[in-house]
Amino acid sequence: MAAQFPPTSLNLLSKLRNIGEEPHWQISWKRFLELYHEPIEMIARSCYRHHTGGHEPSLGVIEDAVANTVAEFFSRGQHRYDPAKGRLRTYLRMITNARVVNLLRKERPVSAKALDTVPEASIPDESLFETESFRRSILATLVEDLRTRIPLRQFEIFERVKLKQQSAEFVAEDLGIPRAMIDRNIHKAMTSLRELASHEEYRNEFYQ
């Protein structure tokens, strides 16, 4: 039987704290990095432009900002983040902005004094691209969460029909099962998905 991924992202946050639970802990961090690298990178670019009057950052600066953000979240942030007090993406934006400011102070020592007057809370407004990037990440984590909560065959049917857009008739024939069984599995999977999406953490990420 194929190994299942542990809960990721919003539910992953509790999983990440359990350092001794190998190999699930490592898999959880791998999934977090895969799902959130893009939005963190976009935030870093936006913050750099915000603090430099529109200048474009180098690839090295962005890579360092992303790495430092992940390291901060890894070492301390995961324990400080409280879903009841705000969204995950708001918290990650705060950490990323602070790391960008630190890099700018090292990168531009002549103007470091000016940066000292800019509060780290001064973060650019979230752009449409950032919002969409985070939504993709949250949706991906919702699907990953679903994967861990329903039978593997049921998830396979859901994935093929709903995510890969294969016809129900084709999947039924390919798996050698009645079409009605496909419909039942899809219904059960969608019910589980709606239940997951109704959780407060997910509602906050999508609707706040």
Side-chain angles (χ1 to χ4, degrees):
M1 178 182 295
Q4 294 189 38
F5 282 116
T8 54
S9 186
L10 303 181
N11 288 325
L12 164 69
L13 295 177
S14 61
K15 199 75 174 179
L16 296 179
R17 298 185 179 97
N18 300 324
I19 298 177
E21 293 187 4
E22 301 281 359
H24 290 323
W25 180 74
Q26 290 184 342
I27 295 174
S28 295
W29 268 108
K30 181 176 183 292
R31 292 301 295 143
F32 178 83
L33 294 175
E34 289 173 350
L35 294 173
Y36 286 92
H37 183 277
E38 178 186 341
I40 292 174
E41 180 179 317
M42 294 182 72
I43 294 168
R45 291 184 182 279
S46 178
C47 290
Y48 187 97
R49 297 188 194 104
H50 176 69
H51 292 299
T52 61
H55 292 286
E56 288 295 328
S58 67
L59 178 60
V61 167
I62 293 303
E63 289 178 344
D64 286 346
V66 172
N68 292 346
T69 296
V70 172
E72 169 72 12
F73 189 75
F74 174 84
S75 62
R76 291 182 293 175
Q78 55 176 318
H79 301 287
R80 295 176 178 175
Y81 167 66
D82 183 355
K85 296 180 179 179
R87 296 180 295 183
L88 172 63
R89 67 178 187 246
T90 301
Y91 190 75
L92 288 175
R93 293 183 86 245
M94 182 179 65
I95 296 177
T96 305
N97 182 68
R99 301 289 69 77
V100 168
V101 169
N102 287 345
L103 287 170
L104 277 169
R105 287 172 178 156
K106 295 176 182 178
E107 181 187 67
R108 306 170 68 183
V110 174
S111 59
K113 185 175 181 180
L115 279 171
D116 286 336
T117 66
V118 178
E120 291 189 353
S122 174
I123 306 175
D125 292 335
E126 184 175 297
S127 70
L128 176 62
F129 296 109
E130 289 175 35
T131 300
E132 290 306 311
S133 179
F134 263 110
R135 282 183 178 275
R136 288 194 297 271
S137 295
I138 296 298
L139 282 171
T141 63
L142 186 58
V143 171
E144 288 288 349
D145 202 356
L146 179 67
R147 184 197 300 269
T148 69
R149 294 169 185 265
I150 63 177
L152 288 175
R153 174 53 66 90
Q154 189 178 112
F155 183 83
E156 178 188 0
I157 292 171
F158 165 82
E159 182 179 43
R160 294 180 64 173
V161 175
K162 292 297 185 179
L163 303 183
K164 297 182 178 180
Q165 297 296 302
Q166 296 177 3
S167 71
E169 292 79 6
F170 173 79
V171 175
E173 182 178 352
D174 187 53
L175 296 178
I177 59 179
R179 164 62 195 274
M181 187 175 293
I182 297 293
D183 294 337
R184 285 197 296 272
N185 276 277
I186 291 295
H187 175 75
K188 290 178 181 178
M190 291 300 295
T191 298
S192 296
L193 188 64
R194 283 190 289 269
E195 290 174 354
L196 285 170
S198 70
H199 289 181
E200 183 177 2
E201 287 178 320
Y202 280 115
R203 290 203 315 272
N204 288 344
E205 291 297 325
F206 280 113
Y207 302 118
Q208 271 193 5

